Amino acid sequence: IKSNMAANVPAEGELINVSLSSISWDDTELIKAYDTAMAQARLQLKTPGSASKKNKKKQQSKKWKAGDVCQCAWSEDGVIYDAVIDSISEEGTCWITYTEYGNSEE
């Protein structure tokens, strides 16, 4: 057995000729699963009534003000991060600063 194994191992300094075109990686199913999960998450965030009535009441009763700690989805990746409200316009638009990275956005 050892002699057969030694025959398949290249000698030191010998190049191994492998055609990269013969190696394939198909991650189509992984991409589909990811896309489906992201679409479902986005739909759940956009769908009114997706939160329980108890949580919805709690959200409606909160009066936000500058200095309040909150969580916001960063516009670049959609991930929720801890933040602090810097200011709130008369229209209700908030400027926040993400506490972990210091990024600010509206």
Side-chain angles (χ1 to χ4, degrees):
I1 296 176
K2 286 185 180 182
S3 63
N4 287 343
M5 289 174 57
N8 293 329
V9 176
E12 185 176 335
E14 183 180 344
L15 295 175
I16 300 173
N17 187 11
V18 176
S19 171
L20 293 179
S21 63
S22 68
I23 300 173
S24 66
W25 179 265
D26 184 8
D27 55 357
T28 304
E29 291 303 315
L30 178 63
I31 292 169
K32 283 181 188 177
Y34 173 81
D35 290 342
T36 301
M38 291 302 294
Q40 288 174 350
R42 285 186 189 105
L43 181 63
Q44 206 171 29
L45 289 172
K46 290 180 182 179
T47 304
S50 63
S52 70
K53 288 183 180 181
K54 185 178 180 181
N55 286 341
K56 195 171 184 179
K57 260 188 180 178
K58 192 174 184 180
Q59 290 172 352
Q60 289 174 345
S61 65
K62 175 72 176 169
K63 297 290 182 184
W64 295 100
K65 62 186 181 307
D68 282 348
V69 175
C70 61
Q71 292 185 324
C72 297
W74 186 38
S75 62
E76 295 291 321
D77 62 10
V79 176
I80 306 278
Y81 296 97
D82 293 333
V84 175
I85 298 174
D86 298 323
S87 64
I88 303 174
S89 71
E90 288 181 16
E91 296 82 26
T93 303
C94 296
W95 274 95
I96 56 99
T97 299
Y98 295 98
T99 55
E100 191 171 346
Y101 298 103
N103 301 19
S104 294
E105 68 180 1
E106 184 177 25

